[in-house]
Amino acid sequence: MFLDTLIRRNPAFIEAAMELHQQGKIPANSYVLDLDTVERNAKTFSETATKLGLKTFAMTKQVARHSGFCQALIRGGIARSVAVDMDCAVACHRAGLKTGHLGHLVQVPRGGVDFAASQLKPDYWTVFSHDKAKEAAAAAAKAGRVQNILARIQTQGDTFYRGHEGGFSAEDICEVADQIDALEGARFAGITTFPALLFDLESRSVKPTPNLDTLKRAAAALAAAGRTDIEINAPGTNSAAVLPALAAAGATQCEPGNALHGTTPLHAMEDLPEEPAVLYLSEVSHQHGGNAFCFGGGLYIDPVFPKYDVKALVSSQPTSARKDLASVEVPDYSAIDYYGMIDATGDVKPKTGDTVVFGFRGQAFVTRANVVGISGVSSGNPQVTTIENIFGQAVDWPEKALS
């Protein structure tokens, strides 16, 4: 689905990545980033958010916290990250993108709180329980700081992905705020949830979840108790195009992730302000039984759509022509993605060494893929910046250090 958008809106990026792979400069099993486009997307998003009074924290996990990606965001006007976990915070911090929001979605483990409070010094720290609030407060006090705390809230009927559940009862938010303020080293700063917005396939649009109403009711209760200067963090499917609705609902913070490389579900349905800036690149390995097998390792397709006919561009030459598209069978999530299987019985006849380009919504941080930055696509002089692992660390390629 996203490959169609890439072909229409950023064909030069596809062809640049294919040429660099054929030149031996990009390894198979790589997410590839068009850093020029990322920078423009960040500028578009941040300028819109600023006009609406929204603070912006960038989610970088989808592209494995690549340092060049982080630096492109900074050039585009986004100076803070939301760290999905501690590895995310460290990688972004190391790249210069300081921690705006920590603890959401993944709480900070007890063994990491002192490091988080003294070294990362997040602007906001989300907690799901009194126990985690006490840990964050004690670490901040030890570091000589007062930490802004966001309370993750929930109530019956809210929407959560399985395994994401947790948080304070929204009905108790005023008491929770008082309890957090009573902790040395802590200051109650506001409330959060996830997701506040979700793509609705039936209407082909982004809609608020019940969680957004929960935030609004909790904010009203806090205001009635005299707490008017609070942050309302409302992450979820977004784009510069949906920010006005988010601001109108009372949000003060937004957290773009896939929007920054043009891969939210809505980006597959409409041409939004953000352009596509990521692809997955592989290479044909061998043939068997009417299929050409291409290397896997990063073939995790985030299941935001029902299963569909996955296609890839397959060629030994740079191309964005639809005649070079072939269907690909991607292993089910219950299997390890050693290979993808390209249909070799049609018009496309893959050969060993051919470049294979996919366009899908990924989650690179849960894979074993490389992440490669390209600069200069927009000026016609594409160059590889760095090749990194899923922790945003540069890797040696093609020569691997053996000691």
Side-chain angles (χ1 to χ4, degrees):
M1 283 186 153
F2 292 99
L3 185 55
D4 175 72
T5 306
L6 267 169
I7 289 171
R8 288 190 298 102
R9 300 191 69 187
N10 203 351
F13 169 44
I14 296 173
E15 294 171 20
M18 296 183 85
E19 183 170 11
L20 289 166
H21 170 252
Q22 287 295 323
Q23 291 173 355
K25 295 179 180 178
I26 295 178
N29 182 30
S30 290
Y31 286 91
V32 186
L33 298 165
D34 178 352
L35 298 177
D36 300 350
T37 299
V38 169
E39 181 178 341
R40 290 196 302 272
N41 289 346
K43 186 174 189 292
T44 296
F45 192 99
S46 64
E47 287 180 350
T48 303
T50 299
K51 288 176 184 175
L52 294 166
L54 294 167
K55 297 180 178 70
T56 301
F57 305 138
M59 179 63 81
T60 66
K61 66 182 175 70
Q62 294 91 347
V63 293
R65 313 102 175 197
H66 186 275
S67 66
F69 179 79
C70 294
Q71 290 153 13
L73 299 182
I74 294 169
R75 293 193 300 273
I78 299 176
R80 292 287 189 271
S81 75
V82 49
V84 76
D85 55 20
M86 287 291 284
D87 287 325
C88 212
V90 170
C92 291
H93 186 96
R94 192 168 52 224
L97 191 66
K98 302 307 181 186
T99 308
H101 185 190
L102 185 67
H104 203 203
L105 295 166
V106 180
Q107 293 282 271
V108 179
R110 183 177 57 193
V113 293
D114 286 342
F115 175 81
S118 64
Q119 302 299 313
L120 297 175
K121 302 176 182 178
D123 296 338
Y124 300 92
W125 186 328
T126 283
V127 297
F128 289 13
S129 68
H130 292 296
D131 287 342
K132 300 308 285 184
K134 291 174 183 176
E135 289 177 1
K142 183 178 177 181
R145 299 178 54 242
V146 175
Q147 177 63 56
N148 287 323
I149 298 291
L150 298 180
R152 213 282 194 101
I153 60 172
Q154 51 77 35
T155 194
Q156 187 174 1
D158 279 357
T159 297
F160 292 102
Y161 293 105
R162 184 64 177 147
H164 290 199
E165 299 92 344
F168 298 94
S169 171
E171 291 73 20
D172 298 334
I173 189 57
C174 293
E175 181 182 354
V176 169
D178 291 341
Q179 291 171 342
I180 289 173
D181 273 344
L183 297 172
E184 182 186 358
R187 171 188 170 271
F188 176 78
I191 50 179
T192 186
T193 186
F194 180 80
L197 300 172
L198 272 183
F199 177 74
D200 177 67
L201 184 59
E202 185 176 347
S203 65
R204 297 163 66 97
S205 65
V206 172
K207 291 186 173 182
T209 66
N211 308 32
L212 190 58
D213 279 335
T214 300
L215 287 179
K216 290 160 72 174
R217 289 194 301 271
L222 288 164
R227 294 180 179 270
T228 54
D229 184 22
I230 65 164
E231 297 288 337
I232 301 176
N233 177 273
T237 304
N238 62 45
S239 157
V242 304
L243 292 183
L246 201 60
T252 65
Q253 299 178 0
C254 57
E255 297 181 341
N258 287 289
L260 299 171
H261 33 86
T263 55
T264 77
L266 194 59
H267 284 84
M269 301 288 107
E270 303 176 17
D271 285 351
L272 299 179
E274 303 88 7
E275 298 177 39
V278 63
L279 57 81
Y280 178 72
L281 184 145
S282 185
E283 174 186 311
V284 174
S285 167
H286 61 279
Q287 313 268 344
H288 176 77
N291 292 125
F293 284 61
C294 65
F295 296 101
L299 289 171
Y300 176 86
I301 300 177
D302 200 354
V304 292
F305 292 114
K307 287 190 176 182
Y308 59 92
D309 180 19
V310 176
K311 292 184 181 294
L313 290 164
V314 185
S315 178
S316 61
Q317 300 293 325
T319 181
S320 55
R322 296 182 188 278
K323 67 179 179 61
D324 296 312
L325 287 169
S327 294
V328 185
E329 180 184 346
V330 174
D332 185 76
Y333 300 117
S334 61
I336 298 172
D337 67 323
Y338 293 114
Y339 297 98
M341 292 150 284
I342 306 165
D343 179 11
T345 65
D347 293 338
V348 177
K349 302 298 181 185
K351 303 180 299 298
T352 296
D354 280 359
T355 306
V356 184
V357 166
F358 295 83
F360 55 76
R361 173 186 163 107
Q363 294 285 352
F365 81 118
V366 300
T367 74
R368 61 187 191 280
N370 306 290
V371 186
V372 180
I374 298 179
S375 65
V377 172
S378 60
S379 62
N381 183 33
Q383 303 286 332
V384 170
T385 58
T386 58
I387 301 172
E388 301 182 7
N389 62 23
I390 62 168
F391 299 104
Q393 299 164 321
V395 298
D396 296 320
W397 189 84
E399 296 82 14
K400 298 280 189 182
L402 297 180
S403 61

